[in-house]
């Protein structure tokens, strides 16, 4: 393993989640975070992130399944609310509609961070979905970002997934959805991680520390672990079902 990235997903999902992630970043317990730039608190969350000391990466957590899009999406979000993951996979939203929303979320990152993201991934791994990929590459190309950031490959080798033995079914489903993604990324001028872990049952009674030890098994040269630390507030309760497990993960990283 030449590098290890521990990325706290869902920055700006809520103010409390963002606060927990900043604590982890400031303490050096995680090395990156990815931000949801369509969330209402993103402008303030970005301001607080810009002034945070430490050496860490900040990426775009592309969001097509939570809250409202940044612009009109008459097919995917006709009522101004994004669908769940299943709805997105079933959607026949035109590539142009998806491309414009991806561009809007990238531009929102630039507007409030003053720079482009270090990397790009997706909330619920939406960036690897076959019906999203073409729009993603087109959006990145239109902003001349080829080679200027890296993208997350949410899949891994079967042997590594089985060796870790954590949430194998989840990992295999995402692996299937992400088939060919790394090759497409390379063809479009983007580097990726070459191994990936962090799938969780989000069980507040589970042993997250034991699972994290397994996440470190069988790393590639550029290993990436996703995590979801944070505090809980009303904004989070209204937006996401993953709540108290975030506090448990936060306790692990800050313990």
């Amino acid at each position: 393993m030449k590098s290890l990235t521990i990325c706290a997903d869902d920055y700006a999902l809520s103010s409390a989640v963002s606060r927990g992630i900043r604590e982890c970043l400031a303490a050096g317990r995680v090395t990156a975070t990815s931000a949801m730039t369509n969330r209402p608190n993103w402008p303030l969350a970005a301001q607080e992130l810009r002034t945070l000391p430490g050496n860490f990466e900040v990426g775009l957590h592309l969001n097509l399944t939570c809250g409202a899009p940044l612009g009109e999406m008459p097919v995917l979000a006709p009522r101004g609310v994004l669908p769940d993951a299943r709805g997105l996979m079933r959607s026949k939203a035109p590539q142009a509609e998806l491309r414009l929303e991806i561009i809007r979320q990238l531009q929102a990152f630039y507007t409030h961070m003053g720079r482009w993201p270090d990397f790009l991934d997706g909330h619920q791994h939406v960036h690897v979905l076959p019906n999203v990929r073409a729009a993603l590459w087109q959006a990145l190309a239109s902003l001349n970002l080829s080679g200027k950031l890296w993208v997350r490959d949410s899949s891994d080798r079967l042997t590594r997934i089985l060796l870790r033995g954590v949430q194998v079914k989840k990992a295999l489903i995402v692996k299937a959805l992400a088939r060919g993604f790394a090759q497409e990324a390379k063809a479009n001028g983007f580097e990726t991680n070459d191994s990936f872990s962090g799938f969780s049952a989000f069980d507040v009674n589970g042993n997250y520390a034991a699972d994290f030890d397994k996440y470190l098994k069988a790393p590639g040269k550029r290993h990436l672990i996703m995590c979801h630390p944070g505090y809980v507030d009303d904004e989070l309760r209204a937006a996401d079902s993953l709540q108290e497990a975030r506090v448990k993960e936060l306790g692990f990283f800050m313990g």
Side-chain angles (χ1 to χ4, degrees), residues 13 66 123-124 202 236-246:
L13 174 57
C66 177
H123 187 54
Q124 298 181 319
F202 302 118
L236 176 62
R237 293 187 186 96
D240 194 82
S241 61
L242 175 53
Q243 298 169 18
E244 296 304 329
R246 295 181 188 273

Side-chain angles (χ1 to χ4, degrees), residues 66-87:
C66 177
L70 289 176
E72 292 185 3
M73 301 190 77
V75 177
L76 186 65
R79 296 178 176 83
V81 178
L82 291 165
D84 60 16
R86 289 183 180 179

Side-chain angles (χ1 to χ4, degrees), residues 2-244:
K2 291 185 177 180
S3 71
L4 170 64
T5 299
I6 304 175
C7 181
D9 289 1
D10 298 348
Y11 188 79
L13 174 57
S14 81
S15 298
V17 169
S18 298
R19 177 164 56 91
I21 290 174
R22 287 196 302 274
E23 289 181 7
C24 292
L25 290 168
R29 305 302 173 87
V30 300
T31 64
T33 188
S34 51
M36 303 169 76
T37 63
N38 70 317
R39 297 296 295 166
N41 71 87
W42 165 241
L44 178 58
Q47 179 181 342
E48 293 172 326
L49 197 58
R50 289 199 313 270
T51 60
L52 191 69
N55 183 23
F56 51 85
E57 291 186 298
V58 183
L60 174 70
H61 200 48
L62 178 64
N63 178 19
L64 299 173
T65 59
C66 177
L70 289 176
E72 292 185 3
M73 301 190 77
V75 177
L76 186 65
R79 296 178 176 83
V81 178
L82 291 165
D84 60 16
R86 289 183 180 179
L88 174 62
M89 286 188 282
R90 293 193 299 262
S91 172
K92 296 182 180 180
Q95 290 294 300
E97 184 174 301
L98 294 169
R99 182 182 72 250
L100 289 173
E101 178 61 19
I102 295 170
I103 290 172
R104 287 190 289 260
Q105 293 189 22
L106 283 162
Q107 289 175 330
F109 186 101
Y110 189 93
T111 296
H112 295 287
M113 290 295 292
R115 62 177 180 86
W116 295 114
D118 297 303
F119 62 93
L120 181 145
D121 56 35
H123 187 54
Q124 298 181 319
H125 311 286
V126 297
H127 66 299
V128 305
L129 295 178
N131 61 332
V132 173
R133 290 184 207 176
L136 173 63
W137 307 132
Q138 291 167 9
L140 291 168
S142 72
L143 296 172
N144 194 31
L145 291 177
S146 178
K148 298 179 181 178
L149 51 83
W150 59 274
V151 295
R152 175 185 293 183
D153 180 7
S154 299
S155 68
D156 208 340
R157 297 177 185 174
L158 176 62
T159 52
R160 292 171 174 166
I161 292 171
L162 295 177
L163 182 61
R164 295 178 193 125
V166 183
Q167 291 297 301
V168 170
K169 183 178 180 180
K170 276 187 182 181
L172 291 178
I173 290 172
V174 174
K175 174 181 173 63
L177 292 171
R179 182 177 180 180
F181 181 82
Q183 290 81 1
E184 288 187 29
K186 183 177 180 181
N188 283 278
F190 298 95
E191 294 186 1
T192 69
N193 51 293
D194 65 353
S195 58
F196 180 68
S197 61
F199 292 98
S200 173
F202 302 118
D203 180 5
V204 294
N205 297 313
N207 190 337
Y208 184 76
D211 284 348
F212 194 87
D213 281 343
K214 296 174 183 177
Y215 298 154
L216 291 165
K217 288 185 177 181
K221 291 182 179 179
R222 190 174 183 179
H223 190 44
L224 170 61
I225 301 175
M226 68 173 172
C227 57
H228 301 83
Y231 293 105
V232 177
D233 58 7
D234 289 340
E235 186 180 13
L236 176 62
R237 293 187 186 96
D240 194 82
S241 61
L242 175 53
Q243 298 169 18
E244 296 304 329

